[in-house]
Amino acid sequence: MSHRKPEPVQVVKQRRDTALRALAGGVPYVNFLGITFDRRGDELTGVLNFDEKLIGNPDLPALHGGVTAAFLEVTSIITLSWMSLWDEVESGRLDLASLEQGRLPRLPKTIDFAIDYLRPGLPRDAYARARVTRSGRRYASVHAEAWQDNRDKPVVQAVGHFLMPWDDR
Amino acid sequence: MSTDATAGVDLALSNELILRLPQARALGLEIVSTGDGRAEIHMPFAAQLVGDPETGVIHGGAVSTLMDTCGGAAVMAHPLVAGHTATISLRIDYLRAATPGQGITARAECHHVTRSVAFVRAVALDEDAARPVAMATGTFTVPQLRGEAPEGAA
């Protein structure tokens, strides 16, 4: 086999960041909550950028439990989708131009989602990672958790099951 | 027992309460009815809540927030519960995609209360109320009990 020279770093980053931006940025509800994603290689960290409207109980004040749950669901779906798109992004099979124009790949559908509220969410940014514990042709299982100041003190954790979009391309 | 008049006052109070929650306000939540361990809350359709731009279906996360809020409202509407509650856990089954363009209504019932825990079940419906969009079960904290309740949490 002939040795292929690695691609220049800008090319790699631009391709991956474009795909991620199109994937996450194309979902209205993700923008409504102000969720963005940090990427290290293929690892994603969801960021819930604090905004006053995310507050549930104004007396504490604390993030709305529904918002932190939704944050985990969003992080799960985007991570799951990102993992399944990765090979296509890397091989160039995925058409980035059409992705950028809003032609999103079909997203996984949530079957069920079970949320465990561990601590009140403080009025500041939160971070989340999702781990795909099993990904089959039709069903996937995901564990997700979110934290704020300390990675070891999660605010909320969840497990969910997802129906993968049919591969009819 | 609540008369129509006090139920009306409760509703106005509850709506005032929910409007104090910034996220509930951002979602445009409206309390349809509340009292006796039950609550019904409506979330109007909004383009910004869409989770899949291809289909226009509302994101499950917005439905969780609605179910969570409605579950909490049902707990606070329980005659034995005093004070603010917090969600311990919530499990949601997404039965089908909500019809694009339609609002969603959640109905929650706090069906059992102990000294420490309130148990809730809830459904989410769009305009086709015969076919629920989602179902949920949840547990909530009980900060203070008004009267007697079975000992110990389940």
Side-chain angles (χ1 to χ4, degrees):
Chain A
M1 261 182 75
S2 67
H3 177 74
R4 264 184 67 203
K5 211 177 145 188
E7 295 171 291
V9 62
Q10 308 90 311
V11 173
V12 175
K13 279 195 174 171
Q14 206 232 337
R15 178 177 62 231
R16 294 174 183 174
D17 291 341
T18 303
L20 179 59
R21 208 167 39 238
L23 183 63
V27 180
Y29 184 68
V30 174
N31 299 326
F32 170 72
L33 288 183
I35 298 170
T36 51
F37 285 87
D38 284 351
R39 184 187 64 76
R40 297 283 179 272
D42 70 345
E43 184 198 60
L44 297 186
T45 306
V47 181
L48 180 69
N49 296 278
F50 179 72
D51 186 280
E52 210 57 44
K53 75 165 186 232
L54 303 180
I55 293 290
N57 184 340
D59 298 328
L60 294 174
L63 293 175
H64 195 297
V67 168
T68 50
F71 177 39
L72 289 189
E73 196 179 328
V74 164
T75 304
S76 299
I77 292 174
I78 297 297
T79 302
L80 198 50
S81 207
W82 174 249
M83 298 307 257
S84 58
L85 278 180
W86 177 262
D87 285 340
E88 294 185 52
V89 172
E90 289 305 286
S91 65
R93 281 199 302 276
L94 193 79
D95 181 9
L96 287 183
S98 72
L99 194 64
E100 273 190 296
Q101 281 158 24
R103 297 272 324 150
L104 282 184
R106 289 166 67 191
L107 296 169
K109 291 193 178 109
T110 315
I111 299 169
D112 61 66
F113 207 64
I115 307 129
D116 187 3
Y117 295 95
L118 305 167
R119 297 180 172 82
L122 299 168
R124 61 189 68 152
D125 291 359
Y127 315 98
R129 283 196 198 130
R131 190 164 44 91
V132 179
T133 41
R134 192 243 177 197
S135 179
R137 231 173 66 77
R138 293 173 73 191
Y139 310 109
S141 299
V142 180
H143 177 270
E145 59 181 42
W147 71 96
Q148 294 186 301
D149 299 338
N150 300 114
R151 181 73 176 86
D152 292 338
K153 289 184 177 159
V155 170
V156 59
Q157 64 179 351
V159 248
H161 297 95
F162 297 85
L163 189 61
M164 299 306 286
W166 288 107
D167 192 4
D168 50 9
R169 280 162 296 202
Chain B
M1 285 284 102
S2 66
T3 64
D4 282 347
T6 58
V9 170
D10 281 346
L11 191 61
L13 266 176
S14 309
N15 262 313
E16 203 174 291
L17 200 71
I18 206 171
L19 284 175
R20 289 194 59 232
L21 315 183
Q23 178 63 20
R25 210 164 48 221
L27 291 172
L29 301 190
E30 305 149 17
I31 296 195
V32 180
S33 65
T34 177
D36 209 17
R38 287 165 198 272
E40 182 170 334
I41 299 184
H42 180 71
M43 177 172 73
F45 179 83
Q48 62 187 1
L49 302 183
V50 166
D52 190 340
E54 288 285 305
T55 58
V57 170
I58 288 187
H59 197 284
V63 179
S64 338
T65 304
L66 173 64
M67 296 281 239
D68 184 49
T69 309
C70 195
V75 172
M76 298 211 297
H78 195 283
L80 292 179
V81 178
H84 259 283
T85 183
T87 319
I88 299 170
S89 77
L90 189 71
R91 185 206 144 96
I92 304 177
D93 288 335
Y94 294 97
L95 306 181
R96 66 174 174 95
T99 307
Q102 295 186 2
I104 297 181
T105 302
R107 283 185 196 147
E109 180 196 3
C110 175
H111 59 88
H112 186 71
V113 171
T114 73
R115 203 167 268 183
S116 322
V117 186
F119 296 83
V120 168
R121 48 181 171 241
V123 288
L125 312 163
D126 61 14
E127 286 169 23
D128 181 1
R131 296 189 307 130
V133 167
M135 295 185 79
T137 53
T139 50
F140 291 76
T141 60
V142 173
Q144 230 186 311
L145 219 50
R146 276 190 220 279
E148 290 280 309
E151 293 249 345

